[in-house]
Short mmCIF file of all heavy atoms in Angstrom, two decimals:
data_model
loop_
_atom_site.label_atom_id
_atom_site.label_comp_id
_atom_site.label_asym_id
_atom_site.label_seq_id
_atom_site.Cartn_x
_atom_site.Cartn_y
_atom_site.Cartn_z
N LEU A 119 -1.37 -6.46 7.70
CA LEU A 119 -1.11 -7.83 7.41
C LEU A 119 -2.22 -8.77 7.94
O LEU A 119 -2.61 -9.72 7.25
CB LEU A 119 0.24 -8.26 8.10
CG LEU A 119 1.39 -7.69 7.25
CD1 LEU A 119 2.67 -7.76 8.14
CD2 LEU A 119 1.58 -8.64 6.04
N MET A 152 2.72 -12.85 7.53
CA MET A 152 2.95 -13.44 6.21
C MET A 152 4.30 -13.87 6.14
O MET A 152 5.31 -13.19 6.26
CB MET A 152 2.73 -12.34 5.23
CG MET A 152 2.72 -12.64 3.85
SD MET A 152 3.00 -11.06 2.86
CE MET A 152 1.66 -11.12 1.88
N ASN A 153 4.54 -15.25 5.87
CA ASN A 153 5.80 -15.86 5.85
C ASN A 153 6.27 -16.40 4.61
O ASN A 153 6.02 -17.57 4.28
CB ASN A 153 5.83 -16.94 6.95
CG ASN A 153 5.79 -16.50 8.34
OD1 ASN A 153 6.66 -16.51 9.19
ND2 ASN A 153 4.50 -15.96 8.69
N LEU A 154 6.86 -15.62 3.77
CA LEU A 154 7.36 -15.99 2.37
C LEU A 154 8.86 -16.14 2.48
O LEU A 154 9.56 -17.06 2.03
CB LEU A 154 6.99 -15.07 1.37
CG LEU A 154 5.47 -15.05 0.91
CD1 LEU A 154 4.66 -14.28 1.91
CD2 LEU A 154 5.47 -14.37 -0.56
N THR A 155 9.53 -14.94 2.80
CA THR A 155 10.95 -14.81 2.55
C THR A 155 11.83 -15.68 3.34
O THR A 155 11.67 -15.92 4.51
CB THR A 155 11.22 -13.25 2.82
OG1 THR A 155 10.32 -12.54 2.14
CG2 THR A 155 12.62 -12.95 2.26
N PRO A 157 16.39 -16.69 3.42
CA PRO A 157 17.60 -16.08 2.98
C PRO A 157 17.87 -16.20 1.49
O PRO A 157 18.30 -15.38 0.81
CB PRO A 157 18.75 -16.82 3.78
CG PRO A 157 17.96 -17.23 5.02
CD PRO A 157 16.51 -17.53 4.54
N ALA A 159 15.53 -16.97 -0.78
CA ALA A 159 14.24 -16.85 -1.55
C ALA A 159 13.64 -15.47 -1.21
O ALA A 159 12.83 -15.42 -0.22
CB ALA A 159 13.33 -18.05 -1.23
N GLY A 160 14.03 -14.55 -1.88
CA GLY A 160 13.50 -13.18 -1.81
C GLY A 160 12.49 -12.91 -2.89
O GLY A 160 11.23 -13.40 -2.83
N SER A 161 12.82 -12.23 -3.93
CA SER A 161 11.95 -12.01 -5.04
C SER A 161 11.58 -13.37 -5.59
O SER A 161 10.39 -13.49 -6.14
CB SER A 161 12.62 -11.16 -6.07
OG SER A 161 13.07 -9.83 -5.54
N ASP A 162 12.57 -14.32 -5.62
CA ASP A 162 12.29 -15.70 -6.25
C ASP A 162 11.74 -16.49 -5.12
O ASP A 162 12.35 -17.36 -4.59
CB ASP A 162 13.72 -16.10 -6.66
CG ASP A 162 13.49 -17.40 -7.43
OD1 ASP A 162 12.34 -17.83 -7.73
OD2 ASP A 162 14.54 -18.08 -7.76
N ILE A 184 12.91 -15.13 7.16
CA ILE A 184 13.47 -13.95 7.54
C ILE A 184 12.55 -12.73 7.10
O ILE A 184 11.63 -12.86 6.38
CB ILE A 184 14.87 -13.72 6.94
CG1 ILE A 184 14.70 -13.59 5.32
CG2 ILE A 184 15.83 -14.80 7.40
CD1 ILE A 184 16.08 -13.10 4.74
N PHE A 185 12.75 -11.61 7.86
CA PHE A 185 12.05 -10.27 7.51
C PHE A 185 10.63 -10.45 7.78
O PHE A 185 9.80 -9.82 7.11
CB PHE A 185 12.29 -9.89 6.08
CG PHE A 185 13.64 -9.62 5.61
CD1 PHE A 185 14.06 -9.69 4.30
CD2 PHE A 185 14.65 -9.06 6.51
CE1 PHE A 185 15.35 -9.35 3.81
CE2 PHE A 185 15.89 -8.77 6.17
CZ PHE A 185 16.29 -8.85 4.82
N ILE A 186 10.23 -11.14 8.87
CA ILE A 186 8.78 -11.43 9.09
C ILE A 186 8.13 -10.24 9.90
O ILE A 186 8.41 -10.11 11.06
CB ILE A 186 8.47 -12.75 9.63
CG1 ILE A 186 9.03 -13.78 8.74
CG2 ILE A 186 6.87 -12.95 9.78
CD1 ILE A 186 8.66 -13.72 7.19
N THR A 187 7.32 -9.45 9.28
CA THR A 187 6.81 -8.33 9.85
C THR A 187 5.78 -8.73 10.94
O THR A 187 4.88 -9.53 10.69
CB THR A 187 5.98 -7.36 8.85
OG1 THR A 187 7.00 -7.01 7.90
CG2 THR A 187 5.26 -6.21 9.52
N LYS A 245 16.84 -1.69 11.41
CA LYS A 245 16.39 -1.20 10.18
C LYS A 245 16.62 0.29 9.94
O LYS A 245 16.85 1.05 10.97
CB LYS A 245 14.94 -1.49 9.98
CG LYS A 245 14.55 -2.87 10.24
CD LYS A 245 13.08 -3.28 9.88
CE LYS A 245 12.01 -2.54 10.63
NZ LYS A 245 11.85 -3.13 11.93
N ILE A 248 10.78 2.45 10.08
CA ILE A 248 9.77 1.72 10.80
C ILE A 248 10.24 0.93 11.95
O ILE A 248 9.98 -0.23 12.07
CB ILE A 248 8.84 0.80 9.74
CG1 ILE A 248 9.67 -0.16 8.88
CG2 ILE A 248 7.96 1.68 8.94
CD1 ILE A 248 8.88 -1.32 8.27
N THR A 253 10.58 -6.67 12.94
CA THR A 253 10.79 -7.44 11.68
C THR A 253 11.58 -8.62 12.18
O THR A 253 12.81 -8.49 12.45
CB THR A 253 11.58 -6.60 10.71
OG1 THR A 253 10.79 -5.43 10.41
CG2 THR A 253 11.81 -7.35 9.33
N ILE A 424 11.04 1.83 2.86
CA ILE A 424 10.83 0.44 2.77
C ILE A 424 9.67 0.13 1.83
O ILE A 424 9.67 -1.00 1.11
CB ILE A 424 10.40 -0.23 4.19
CG1 ILE A 424 10.28 -1.70 4.03
CG2 ILE A 424 9.07 0.40 4.80
CD1 ILE A 424 11.44 -2.52 3.61
N ILE A 427 10.27 -1.54 -1.41
CA ILE A 427 11.03 -2.77 -1.32
C ILE A 427 10.17 -3.96 -1.04
O ILE A 427 10.16 -4.96 -1.71
CB ILE A 427 12.26 -2.69 -0.34
CG1 ILE A 427 13.17 -1.55 -0.80
CG2 ILE A 427 12.92 -3.98 -0.14
CD1 ILE A 427 14.18 -1.25 0.19
N TYR A 428 9.32 -3.86 0.08
CA TYR A 428 8.68 -5.11 0.49
C TYR A 428 7.34 -5.25 -0.38
O TYR A 428 7.03 -4.36 -1.07
CB TYR A 428 8.45 -5.22 1.95
CG TYR A 428 7.73 -4.17 2.78
CD1 TYR A 428 6.85 -3.13 2.11
CD2 TYR A 428 7.94 -4.02 4.09
CE1 TYR A 428 6.24 -2.23 2.90
CE2 TYR A 428 7.31 -3.05 4.88
CZ TYR A 428 6.43 -2.13 4.23
OH TYR A 428 5.79 -1.20 4.97
N GLU A 429 6.78 -6.45 -0.13
CA GLU A 429 5.60 -6.80 -0.93
C GLU A 429 5.80 -6.96 -2.50
O GLU A 429 5.14 -6.56 -3.27
CB GLU A 429 4.39 -5.71 -0.79
CG GLU A 429 3.30 -6.32 0.07
CD GLU A 429 3.21 -7.79 0.27
OE1 GLU A 429 3.00 -8.44 -0.79
OE2 GLU A 429 3.48 -8.36 1.33
N GLY A 430 7.15 -7.40 -2.75
CA GLY A 430 7.46 -7.33 -4.14
C GLY A 430 8.08 -6.11 -4.46
O GLY A 430 7.42 -5.06 -4.52
N THR A 431 9.49 -6.02 -4.83
CA THR A 431 10.07 -4.81 -5.10
C THR A 431 9.34 -4.08 -6.13
O THR A 431 8.72 -4.71 -7.01
CB THR A 431 11.56 -5.01 -5.41
OG1 THR A 431 11.53 -5.82 -6.60
CG2 THR A 431 12.35 -5.70 -4.28
N GLY A 433 10.70 -3.07 -8.88
CA GLY A 433 11.17 -3.73 -10.10
C GLY A 433 10.27 -4.93 -10.45
O GLY A 433 10.01 -5.16 -11.59
N ILE A 434 9.92 -5.77 -9.40
CA ILE A 434 9.09 -6.83 -9.63
C ILE A 434 7.72 -6.38 -10.00
O ILE A 434 7.05 -7.05 -10.94
CB ILE A 434 9.09 -7.66 -8.45
CG1 ILE A 434 10.49 -8.41 -8.05
CG2 ILE A 434 8.08 -8.84 -8.41
CD1 ILE A 434 11.07 -9.26 -9.09
N ASN A 437 7.86 -5.57 -13.71
CA ASN A 437 7.70 -6.83 -14.60
C ASN A 437 6.37 -7.41 -14.53
O ASN A 437 5.93 -7.85 -15.63
CB ASN A 437 8.72 -7.89 -13.84
CG ASN A 437 10.15 -7.66 -14.25
OD1 ASN A 437 10.42 -6.66 -15.12
ND2 ASN A 437 11.12 -8.38 -13.65
C1 LIG B 1 11.21 -4.33 6.81
C2 LIG B 1 10.78 -5.45 6.05
C3 LIG B 1 9.67 -6.20 6.23
C4 LIG B 1 9.39 -7.36 5.43
N1 LIG B 1 8.26 -8.07 5.75
C5 LIG B 1 7.99 -9.21 5.25
C6 LIG B 1 7.08 -10.07 5.62
O1 LIG B 1 6.22 -9.70 6.51
N2 LIG B 1 6.97 -11.37 5.13
C7 LIG B 1 7.82 -11.79 4.12
O2 LIG B 1 7.64 -12.94 3.67
N3 LIG B 1 8.83 -10.95 3.58
C8 LIG B 1 8.99 -9.70 4.22
N4 LIG B 1 9.90 -8.93 3.64
C9 LIG B 1 10.76 -9.27 2.65
C10 LIG B 1 10.61 -8.60 1.35
O3 LIG B 1 9.32 -8.88 0.84
C11 LIG B 1 11.74 -8.77 0.47
O4 LIG B 1 12.89 -8.12 1.12
C12 LIG B 1 11.60 -8.34 -0.95
O5 LIG B 1 10.54 -9.19 -1.61
C13 LIG B 1 12.87 -8.50 -1.79
O6 LIG B 1 13.54 -9.63 -1.72
P1 LIG B 1 15.07 -9.64 -1.27
O7 LIG B 1 15.23 -8.66 -0.07
O8 LIG B 1 15.59 -10.94 -1.16
O9 LIG B 1 15.78 -8.96 -2.41
P2 LIG B 1 16.27 -9.59 -3.83
O10 LIG B 1 15.18 -10.60 -4.41
O11 LIG B 1 17.68 -10.20 -3.55
O12 LIG B 1 16.36 -8.41 -4.74
C14 LIG B 1 17.52 -7.43 -4.89
C15 LIG B 1 17.36 -6.49 -5.95
O13 LIG B 1 17.24 -7.32 -7.26
C16 LIG B 1 16.10 -7.06 -7.92
N5 LIG B 1 15.58 -8.31 -8.47
C17 LIG B 1 15.58 -9.57 -8.02
N6 LIG B 1 14.96 -10.49 -8.86
C18 LIG B 1 14.55 -9.67 -9.91
C19 LIG B 1 13.95 -10.07 -11.20
N7 LIG B 1 13.57 -11.24 -11.47
N8 LIG B 1 13.73 -9.13 -12.08
C20 LIG B 1 14.29 -7.78 -11.73
N9 LIG B 1 14.75 -7.42 -10.68
C21 LIG B 1 15.02 -8.37 -9.71
C22 LIG B 1 15.03 -6.56 -6.86
O14 LIG B 1 14.19 -5.64 -7.40
C23 LIG B 1 16.03 -5.79 -5.91
O15 LIG B 1 16.28 -4.49 -6.47
C24 LIG B 1 10.25 -7.76 4.48
C25 LIG B 1 11.49 -7.06 4.15
C26 LIG B 1 11.75 -5.92 5.06
C27 LIG B 1 13.14 -5.21 4.70
#
Side-chain angles (χ1 to χ4, degrees):
L119 285 161
M152 185 196 237
N153 293 250
L154 287 77
T155 308
S161 300
D162 186 8
I184 60 166
F185 296 155
I186 305 308
T187 299
K245 310 191 293 285
I248 53 164
T253 307
I424 184 58
I427 296 171
Y428 57 21
E429 252 340 294
T431 62
I434 296 295
N437 283 353

